[in-house]
């Protein structure tokens, strides 16, 4: 046994050992990177735990600017592929949101859906909580340019994550000073486990989104963001 060094090891996590280890670090629930995983070949073959994931993507009108929608599409595909690679049994839920939540497939997101409307981030967070509430330890990914219709409503929705086993990860797409500040408020409301990574359009050319495993490992804790 040893601590997690790569997200490729996530399906093999022992959640009981991880709960104990995370508590020694001051966290009530199992928290990345304080997760314990089997390191032997046999353990790796036999311990492919399922990790459910929910991905919810901002498709408001502002996402049509500065390649934001393209960034969101490519990031979503990379995340979806990563979770399937980790374990084909993983349940990965996907939806886009503007003023309403629209559950979608990756194909629909790439070919049919376009940015339009407002940014009801509170609805997106409630949707994520609801689809993962019975999944045990799970991961939620919020992809947004960080400008909700109501910051206060998004903060109230984020507080719901404090009493769940959902690790909230936020991809802030093409952010600025104001949206970084809003994202920080939302993330802190969700709790210390929340992590954030800013993603800008230049990263498409450098291949950052293709190496999504590395991007996730480099995410800031919300207290360091």
């Amino acid at each position: 046994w040893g601590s997690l060094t790569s997200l490729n090891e996530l399906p093999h996590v022992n959640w009981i050992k991880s709960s104990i280890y995370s508590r020694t670090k001051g966290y009530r629930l199992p928290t990345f990177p304080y997760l314990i995983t089997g390191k032997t070949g046999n353990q790796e073959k036999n311990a492919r735990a399922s990790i459910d994931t929910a991905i919810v993507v901002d498709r408001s009108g502002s996402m049509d600017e500065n390649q934001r929608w393209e960034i969101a599409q490519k990031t979503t595909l990379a995340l979806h592929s990563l979770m399937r690679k980790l374990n084909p049994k993983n349940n990965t839920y996907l939806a886009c949101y503007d003023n309403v939540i629209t559950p979608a497939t990756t194909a629909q997101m790439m070919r049919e859906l376009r940015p339009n409307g407002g940014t009801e981030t509170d609805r997106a967070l409630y949707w994520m909580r609801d689809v993962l509430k019975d999944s045990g330890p799970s991961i939620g990914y919020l992809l947004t340019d960080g400008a909700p219709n109501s910051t206060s409503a998004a903060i109230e929705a984020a507080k719901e994550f404090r009493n769940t086993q959902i690790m909230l990860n936020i991809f802030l797409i093409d952010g600025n000073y104001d949206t970084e500040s809003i994202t920080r408020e939302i993330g802190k409301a969700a709790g210390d486990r929340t992590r954030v990574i800013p993603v800008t359009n230049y990263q498409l050319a450098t291949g950052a989104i293709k190496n999504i495993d590395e991007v996730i490992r480099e995410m800031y804790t919300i207290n360091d963001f």
Side-chain angles (χ1 to χ4, degrees):
W1 298 97
S3 59
L4 198 74
T5 56
S6 167
L7 282 181
N8 289 329
E9 298 175 313
L10 192 57
H12 318 306
V13 165
N14 182 297
W15 294 107
I16 296 176
K17 291 179 183 289
S18 297
S19 295
I20 296 170
Y21 185 38
S22 290
R23 287 184 182 185
T24 68
K25 299 296 183 179
Y27 296 93
R28 186 172 62 87
L29 297 172
T31 302
F32 182 88
Y34 308 116
L35 303 177
I36 300 298
T37 182
K39 297 293 186 179
T40 67
N42 289 337
Q43 181 71 26
E44 193 167 330
K45 291 178 181 178
N46 296 326
R48 294 180 66 81
S50 177
I51 306 296
D52 288 349
T53 304
I55 305 169
V56 61
V57 186
D58 180 354
R59 70 165 185 133
S60 59
S62 60
M63 290 291 288
D64 208 20
E65 302 172 7
N66 201 22
Q67 289 188 283
R68 292 173 186 169
W69 184 240
E70 181 184 356
I71 296 168
Q73 288 175 312
K74 292 188 176 182
T75 304
T76 299
L77 285 177
L79 286 170
H80 201 277
S81 297
L82 173 64
M83 299 313 297
R84 290 292 298 241
K85 176 183 176 183
L86 292 175
N87 189 343
K89 294 182 180 180
N90 286 334
N91 292 314
T92 302
Y93 306 95
L94 173 62
C96 296
Y97 74 99
D98 42 32
N99 293 320
V100 297
I101 302 295
T102 305
T105 64
T106 52
Q108 288 171 325
M109 182 179 173
M110 296 300 294
R111 299 172 186 169
E112 301 174 18
L113 300 179
R114 295 295 307 166
N116 183 53
T119 316
E120 298 283 354
T121 302
D122 54 314
R123 290 177 182 264
L125 292 170
Y126 285 129
W127 173 85
M128 185 186 298
R129 180 205 61 185
D130 289 344
V131 298
L132 293 176
K133 64 183 179 181
D134 298 323
S135 295
S138 50
I139 304 173
Y141 293 104
L142 173 67
L143 282 65
T144 178
D145 63 3
N149 286 359
S150 170
T151 299
S152 60
I155 288 172
E156 287 303 309
K159 290 178 181 178
E160 297 286 326
F161 283 74
R162 288 180 173 267
N163 297 317
T164 71
Q165 297 185 64
I166 304 168
M167 179 191 294
L168 177 62
N169 292 340
I170 303 174
F171 282 76
L172 177 59
I173 297 174
D174 193 36
N176 55 40
Y177 178 84
D178 291 334
T179 55
E180 286 180 1
S181 178
I182 292 170
T183 300
R184 193 174 296 113
E185 289 186 72
I186 293 171
K188 286 188 174 181
D192 291 343
R193 292 176 296 152
T194 306
R195 296 182 301 150
V196 182
I197 189 72
V199 182
T200 51
N201 54 8
Y202 77 87
Q203 289 176 293
L204 291 174
T206 60
I209 301 305
K210 292 182 181 178
N211 300 318
I212 196 70
D213 186 0
E214 294 180 13
V215 171
I216 292 173
R217 279 185 285 155
E218 292 172 1
M219 285 182 126
Y220 297 95
T221 65
I222 192 59
N223 292 322
D224 290 335
F225 177 64

